[in-house]
Amino acid sequence: MADRSNGYEQVAAEFLARRGSARDIGIGVPEVRQWARTLPAGAAVLDLGCGTGLPLTALLVAEGLSVYGVDAAPSFVQAFRRHLPHTPIACEAVQDSPFFGRTFDGVLAWGLLFLLSPAHQRQLLTRIAGVLAPGGRLLFTAPALPLIWRDAMTGLESRSLGAPAYRHHLAALGLTLLSESEDEGQNHYFAALRPPPSSPP
């Protein structure tokens, strides 16, 4: 049976000992907090590849958002349920998940997209666009340059399509790219919006 966690279930113990236990510190926390504060109070947010829930899902919950998590690694899902027992999570691969059968005001995909094949990256962005409510916001990370490398923890291939390709695909999906930025760990952020319907003249 194929590993739908992109190798992370096999390195879960090491991950839990490192990033998976810090509640309010870590690379990405300021950027995700800033994004969370652009969403309405109580907004529904889908956190894809949420891992153990720490620190980013917990941050979203602390900001008063209604969060739903998806992760394919059973060990991460167990840890998530310990950390955030009142936050729904599905143990599913993002490629297969029905995303709780609903729409969302925000979707976060931090450190996830480039773990997937190019075809699955494009498919996932298309599916995300389909569950974003009008006015909904997407935040994801991927290197700005088109790159292929080995994941530091799993040793599996990671691939960035590069900023021009991501911009093109977002535009084709009708999403407006609001900004791009980088954090101290050189993670490149893409923030996009599904425009609300135009008001009648």
Side-chain angles (χ1 to χ4, degrees):
M1 182 176 176
D3 175 14
R4 302 298 274 167
S5 73
N6 299 295
Y8 273 84
E9 179 60 25
Q10 281 65 47
V11 298
E14 180 184 358
F15 184 94
L16 290 168
R18 291 169 58 181
R19 182 175 175 85
S21 59
R23 184 168 288 273
D24 57 359
I25 59 173
I27 292 171
V29 167
E31 290 75 17
V32 173
R33 179 180 289 116
Q34 181 180 12
W35 174 78
R37 291 176 178 176
T38 68
L39 300 172
V45 175
L46 179 63
D47 187 356
L48 296 175
C50 59
T52 69
L54 302 182
L56 298 181
T57 319
L59 179 161
L60 297 173
V61 171
E63 289 294 325
L65 303 174
S66 178
V67 187
Y68 297 73
V70 175
D71 201 281
S75 296
F76 290 177
V77 171
Q78 291 172 10
F80 184 105
R81 288 175 173 148
R82 291 194 301 271
H83 298 148
L84 297 163
H86 304 296
T87 301
I89 184 170
C91 187
E92 299 163 343
V94 295
Q95 302 96 306
D96 309 322
S97 176
F99 297 159
F100 300 91
R102 56 162 299 159
T103 59
F104 296 90
D105 304 300
V107 177
L108 175 65
W110 197 99
L112 168 71
L113 213 68
F114 48 80
L115 300 177
L116 309 177
S117 71
H120 282 147
Q121 291 188 49
R122 295 185 184 95
Q123 290 169 10
L124 180 59
L125 287 172
T126 300
R127 295 186 63 222
I128 289 171
V131 298
L132 267 181
R137 293 173 180 258
L138 165 65
L139 184 67
F140 71 92
T141 58
L145 295 175
L147 297 171
I148 301 174
W149 71 100
R150 292 286 173 181
D151 183 88
M153 294 197 71
T154 67
L156 299 180
E157 182 177 283
S158 294
R159 183 187 296 260
S160 169
L161 306 184
Y166 292 122
R167 293 174 196 141
H168 176 79
H169 197 56
L170 291 172
L173 294 170
L175 301 181
T176 300
L177 182 64
L178 298 175
S179 65
E180 294 181 46
S181 60
E182 288 200 357
D183 64 24
E184 61 185 291
Q186 299 182 319
N187 297 291
H188 192 84
Y189 293 79
F190 297 83
L193 171 76
R194 171 167 289 291
S198 299
S199 300

